[in-house]
Amino acid sequence: MTTVPSPCINWCDINPENGYCRGCYRTLTEIADWSDLTNPEKLEVWSQLPSRKPQAPQ
C-alpha cells in the first residue's frame, strides 16, 4: 500500500503570526502527527495547504 507523501520541503520555520510552517504550511501538530495519520487524513491536510499559502503579489 502506498502512503501519501509528506509536503515537507526541509525548510522548517513556524510563522508566529499564523502557526503555519513557512516551508510546507502545516501546523506543528500536523507535522508531529504526520506519521500516525491515515492516508485520508493526510489528503485532508494536503487539501488545506493551498489556502494557507500566501498569495504572491500581482
Side-chain angles (χ1 to χ4, degrees), residues 6-27:
S6 167
C8 180
I9 62 166
N10 294 318
W11 179 37
C12 303
D13 181 32
I14 301 300
N15 182 335
E17 294 179 16
N18 59 23
Y20 299 138
C21 174
R22 289 184 171 109
C24 67
Y25 303 103
R26 292 180 293 169
T27 65

Side-chain angles (χ1 to χ4, degrees), residues 32-52:
D33 292 347
W34 189 260
S35 61
D36 295 326
L37 296 178
T38 64
N39 278 340
E41 291 169 330
K42 290 176 181 179
L43 291 171
E44 176 61 27
V45 172
W46 266 102
S47 74
Q48 295 175 31
L49 301 182
S51 67
R52 296 176 181 178

Side-chain angles (χ1 to χ4, degrees), residues 54-58:
Q55 300 302 309
Q58 300 288 331

